[in-house]
Amino acid sequence: MLRASEERYRSLYFSMNVAFALYEIIYDQTGQAVDFVIMDVNHAYETMVRMEREKIIGRKASEIYGSGRLPYLEIYDKVVKSGQPTTFEMFSPLIDKHLIVSVFSPGSGRFATMFTDITRYKKVEEALRESEAEYSTLVNQARDGIAIIQDGTFQFANNALGSMSGYTVQELRDKPFLDLLTPECREMASQRHASHLAGEKVPAVYEAKLKGKDGVTRDVEFSISVIRYYGKPAIMAIARDITERKRVEEELQRVQKLESIGILAGGIAHDFNNLLTAIAGNLSYGKLYVKTAGEAYESLTDAEAACQQAKNLTQHLLTFSKGGEPIKATTSVSDLIKDVVSLAQCGSNVRFELSLPDDLWWAEIDKGQVRQAVSNLLINADQAMSEGGIVSIQAENVLMSDNNRLSLKPGRYVKLSIRDQGTGIRNEHLQKIFDPYFTTKQNRSGLGLSTAYAIIKKHAGYISVESEVGVGTIFSIYLPASEREIFTVYSVAEEKPPIGRRKVLFMDDQKIIRDMVRRMLTHLKYEVEMASEGDEAIELFKKARESKKPFHAVILDLTIPGGKGGKEVIQKLREIDPQVKAIVSSGYSNDPVMSDYARYGFSGVVVKPYDFDELSETLARLIQEPARPG
């Protein structure tokens, strides 16, 4: 899973200033951890160890550190097996540096480390013992907060800690250090403080939440040392703001969860969608032969609606799966938002207010997917206001610079903000709302927000949330703007399906689908021939050409277990006839062939499950199009 996500990690971490590395533990036959392999490192790690990543990746730690017992292997093994992250301090003689190592496991026998170089702070600690005045300038120039705590109050604080907390250095003087921590962290910090002064063996590094003068909380990592200050024991604390690092870790964990769902979804999608295709197709075909005002027609319509719900659920799950990119096209974001809002207003007691600038940029997006993501957010806003209210939808053009706080690539983005006046989201739930199946509402799947999250991530965008209980919630979406020049497109009247006998070759390994499509196309006056696998389809295509009665269109299933699928067959057909018109069909909508079908030689695409209208319209449109050059 991590190998498949290598590009995602590379783009996320290579811009970080913090050294990062990914490893895989090696176990012996008894299950004992004996070594680990370096899988990937970022540029900051290369700089730290003064080695090129090409000379690091793939090597065992024992090759680098020597054949003796590997240091800290027990810690890494414990993190991998328990899933609980940890932090510890170490000294590396290879690079002559003191480091704080943060370790967490993304799963699958692997662990990741982030290194914070505290060598200079160790030197500062030693210098402070000898002469506080001599090194005060150096301490105040440090980017991390440094403080000396004695008798439970700040006796010294540098400028960085003042900036981090919002207090001046003078205001911090004699202030109880516990006042800077959130209530839930105070008991733990107090116990650690007493234990350090008592000489007990407790972790020297721990995390807590710092509450600033402005009320804003930050995740902070403290490195604690016991010193003597004016002849009495004291605590020297180095405080590093790790709010951004925590966000990156949570983002990585969330991606892992989504991809786990994707593996499950991709595994069942093909068979499930084949069944839905047969059900939906036969239902829509059956409606042609019953009275529109009768009970039978209504029953078939209800069954179709249930089938559509099953199709929507499958698409929710497939959104998480790995594989092909969204099927993108240059799209007006304004028009898309207006369409979604128009549908959301039906039957709702909420008023939607739009603010869309006339010069809003267009975007390269999968229109259906992004429509689904925005719709899910509007549904969430509507459900948060059972008594009614206003949902404000605002869009704007934004430019992202290098090293922006959202870790987005620099460039142009369309930002969409959806603000409601609902009940708000409690803080303990805020970090979980994008997790699959997490919901606080009854009779809900918990997939709406996680689906929106997965869609925006696949579009190389970003989605965030801010909320206050009793006030409301704001969801913000960033989508990369299109770099293409937009031209006005004039619509033309759609032509009717072709009249007369047109030949179609249909290939699918499922008999129930072949029978269903045969009935559909025969009803539409097409002459149809069926193939259950690739070689049979190729042979039928050859015979039709040789008999001077070629097929006008071909529909190929992408995946044929144990035989040639659509990807292989279309190459053979194009060798026979470079102008062949072919439609690719699959229940694996995440396959790259589906998102970029033209590149593989196809002229159209239809995603299972499809019904009578969808298949007939796609086929008619394809046959009416002029043949492209071979």
Side-chain angles (χ1 to χ4, degrees):
M1 189 185 310
L2 284 169
R3 289 192 190 97
S5 301
E6 183 180 11
E7 291 302 324
R8 189 193 318 276
Y9 304 144
R10 186 173 290 118
S11 63
L12 188 60
Y13 290 110
F14 272 18
S15 61
M16 295 172 56
N17 292 324
V18 177
F20 174 84
L22 180 68
Y23 315 87
E24 181 170 295
I25 286 191
I26 299 175
Y27 294 94
D28 62 17
Q29 293 180 347
T30 66
Q32 182 75 23
V34 295
D35 208 338
F36 53 91
V37 177
I38 302 173
M39 307 300 294
D40 203 357
V41 299
N42 67 351
H43 296 314
Y45 185 94
E46 293 179 87
T47 302
M48 182 181 74
V49 302
R50 297 186 291 276
M51 291 179 66
E52 296 176 358
R53 65 190 305 271
E54 289 77 11
K55 298 179 180 179
I56 302 173
I57 294 175
R59 294 183 65 187
K60 295 180 181 179
S62 58
E63 297 174 7
I64 298 176
Y65 299 113
S67 58
R69 182 64 179 169
L70 292 174
Y72 316 111
L73 180 60
E74 291 83 2
I75 295 177
Y76 302 145
D77 182 40
K78 184 177 179 181
V79 170
V80 168
K81 290 178 177 177
S82 67
Q84 296 298 316
T86 190
T87 306
F88 64 93
E89 185 177 324
M90 66 171 285
F91 173 75
S92 174
L94 290 177
I95 58 176
D96 193 29
K97 290 183 182 294
H98 290 272
L99 303 169
I100 293 175
V101 186
S102 299
V103 190
F104 63 97
S105 173
S108 303
R110 299 188 177 192
F111 67 95
T113 56
M114 290 185 180
F115 298 88
T116 303
D117 186 351
I118 60 169
T119 304
R120 61 174 175 168
Y121 298 125
K122 283 294 184 180
K123 293 179 181 178
V124 169
E125 175 185 337
E126 181 179 353
L128 280 173
R129 292 192 184 100
E130 300 175 358
S131 173
E132 177 186 354
E134 183 180 353
Y135 287 93
S136 61
T137 302
L138 175 63
V139 171
N140 276 317
Q141 288 179 345
R143 289 183 298 176
D144 292 337
I146 300 176
I148 297 176
I149 302 168
Q150 198 172 60
D151 299 326
T153 62
F154 289 107
Q155 297 302 303
F156 171 84
N158 70 343
N159 295 334
L161 185 62
S163 300
M164 192 183 301
S165 64
Y167 294 96
T168 65
V169 171
Q170 291 73 24
E171 288 175 325
L172 288 174
R173 179 81 181 192
D174 295 324
K175 187 178 184 65
F177 79 94
L178 293 176
D179 287 359
L180 260 65
L181 303 179
T182 57
E184 66 270 20
C185 296
R186 290 173 183 170
E187 182 178 354
M188 178 272 293
S190 179
Q191 291 176 354
R192 292 283 180 90
H193 183 81
S195 297
H196 279 295
L197 290 175
E200 298 175 6
K201 191 174 181 179
V202 292
V205 180
Y206 64 90
E207 297 177 7
K209 289 188 178 294
L210 184 147
K211 186 175 183 180
K213 187 176 183 179
D214 56 2
V216 176
T217 62
R218 293 174 174 81
D219 290 297
V220 177
E221 183 179 75
F222 291 100
S223 178
I224 304 299
S225 301
V226 179
I227 63 171
R228 293 196 66 81
Y229 188 70
Y230 288 103
K232 293 172 57 180
I235 295 292
M236 187 179 78
I238 300 174
R240 167 159 289 191
D241 188 340
I242 60 170
T243 305
E244 178 63 15
R245 192 185 82 191
K246 295 287 286 186
R247 185 189 70 80
V248 171
E249 290 178 2
E250 291 167 359
E251 192 90 350
L252 180 61
Q253 296 286 353
R254 184 174 292 125
V255 167
Q256 292 293 325
K257 290 179 183 178
L258 293 178
E259 290 183 347
S260 296
I261 296 295
I263 293 173
L264 174 64
I268 66 172
H270 185 257
D271 291 340
F272 190 56
N273 280 333
N274 274 337
L275 294 173
L276 283 179
T277 299
I279 295 170
N282 282 306
L283 286 172
S284 60
Y285 179 74
K287 287 172 65 175
L288 298 173
Y289 294 93
V290 298
K291 296 180 179 179
T292 57
E295 292 184 2
Y297 188 89
E298 293 177 1
S299 297
L300 290 174
T301 301
D302 290 342
E304 268 192 318
C307 189
Q308 182 62 41
Q309 291 178 8
K311 176 181 178 179
N312 291 341
L313 179 59
T314 306
Q315 293 305 314
H316 273 302
L317 292 172
L318 285 174
T319 303
F320 305 127
S321 60
K322 299 181 292 183
E325 294 298 316
I327 304 174
K328 297 179 181 179
T330 305
T331 304
S332 167
V333 179
S334 288
D335 291 346
L336 184 146
I337 294 171
K338 291 174 185 177
D339 290 344
V340 176
V341 170
S342 177
L343 291 174
Q345 288 179 142
C346 299
S348 174
N349 63 343
V350 169
R351 189 168 88 248
F352 294 91
E353 293 185 350
L354 282 173
S355 177
L356 305 175
D358 294 335
D359 62 346
L360 190 66
W361 291 327
W362 288 38
E364 290 288 329
I365 58 176
D366 184 313
K367 191 174 181 180
Q369 285 191 10
V370 174
R371 181 187 285 114
Q372 181 185 13
V374 176
S375 176
N376 289 352
L377 295 180
L378 293 182
I379 291 172
N380 188 76
D382 182 84
Q383 291 173 349
M385 298 188 294
S386 57
E387 304 299 322
I390 299 174
V391 175
S392 302
I393 301 103
Q394 180 180 1
E396 58 183 310
N397 300 325
V398 295
L399 285 171
M400 284 293 174
S401 60
D402 292 324
N403 301 319
N404 58 83
R405 65 180 183 84
L406 303 182
S407 299
L408 289 171
K409 292 182 178 179
R412 306 193 312 162
Y413 288 81
V414 177
K415 179 183 179 183
L416 174 63
S417 301
I418 299 174
R419 180 194 299 266
D420 65 52
Q421 300 173 330
T423 55
I425 304 169
R426 297 210 302 266
N427 190 57
E428 61 266 29
H429 293 157
L430 205 57
Q431 302 301 320
K432 302 178 182 178
I433 60 171
F434 293 124
D435 291 349
Y437 299 113
F438 176 80
T439 181
T440 59
K441 302 168 185 175
Q442 293 183 348
N443 302 319
R444 300 296 176 188
S445 67
L447 289 174
L449 293 180
S450 52
T451 299
Y453 176 89
I455 288 171
I456 301 305
K457 290 292 288 183
K458 282 194 172 184
H459 281 77
Y462 185 81
I463 181 170
S464 64
V465 59
E466 301 173 45
S467 188
E468 185 176 347
V469 174
V471 176
T473 302
I474 305 174
F475 284 95
S476 298
I477 290 175
Y478 295 81
L479 289 169
S482 174
E483 299 297 332
R484 299 183 183 181
E485 187 176 357
I486 306 302
F487 298 95
T488 303
V489 179
Y490 298 95
S491 61
V492 296
E494 187 174 331
E495 297 182 23
K496 298 294 183 183
I499 299 175
R501 303 292 285 179
R502 298 296 182 101
K503 286 186 68 175
V504 175
L505 173 61
F506 181 82
M507 181 189 80
D508 198 290
D509 63 303
Q510 298 289 318
K511 183 178 184 301
I512 190 172
I513 295 179
R514 294 198 302 273
D515 292 343
M516 179 267 293
V517 171
R518 185 195 299 275
R519 287 191 291 268
M520 279 187 182
L521 299 184
T522 301
H523 179 83
L524 291 170
K525 308 303 182 185
Y526 288 104
E527 181 181 341
V528 158
E529 291 192 36
M530 296 288 170
S532 61
E533 52 83 32
D535 288 332
E536 183 183 2
I538 295 169
E539 188 62 28
L540 289 172
F541 191 84
K542 285 181 180 178
K543 289 181 178 179
R545 289 275 296 176
E546 292 169 357
S547 65
K548 307 301 181 182
K549 295 180 180 180
F551 292 103
H552 295 89
V554 178
I555 304 172
L556 301 174
D557 188 19
L558 183 59
T559 305
I560 302 292
K564 289 187 178 71
K567 183 177 177 181
E568 294 81 10
V569 173
I570 187 60
Q571 299 305 318
K572 297 294 184 181
L573 300 189
R574 284 179 60 80
E575 291 175 8
I576 300 169
D577 179 6
Q579 295 185 346
V580 60
K581 293 182 177 181
I583 296 171
V584 62
S585 173
S586 178
Y588 288 118
S589 62
N590 60 313
D591 193 287
V593 177
M594 301 294 285
S595 61
D596 195 9
Y597 58 87
R599 178 184 172 189
Y600 294 89
F602 291 97
S603 305
V605 61
V606 60
V607 179
K608 294 179 180 178
Y610 48 78
D611 57 19
F612 183 88
D613 291 337
E614 186 176 359
L615 181 61
S616 62
E617 289 174 8
T618 303
L619 188 57
R621 190 181 309 115
L622 176 66
I623 291 178
Q624 291 169 13
E625 290 178 354
R628 64 183 181 182

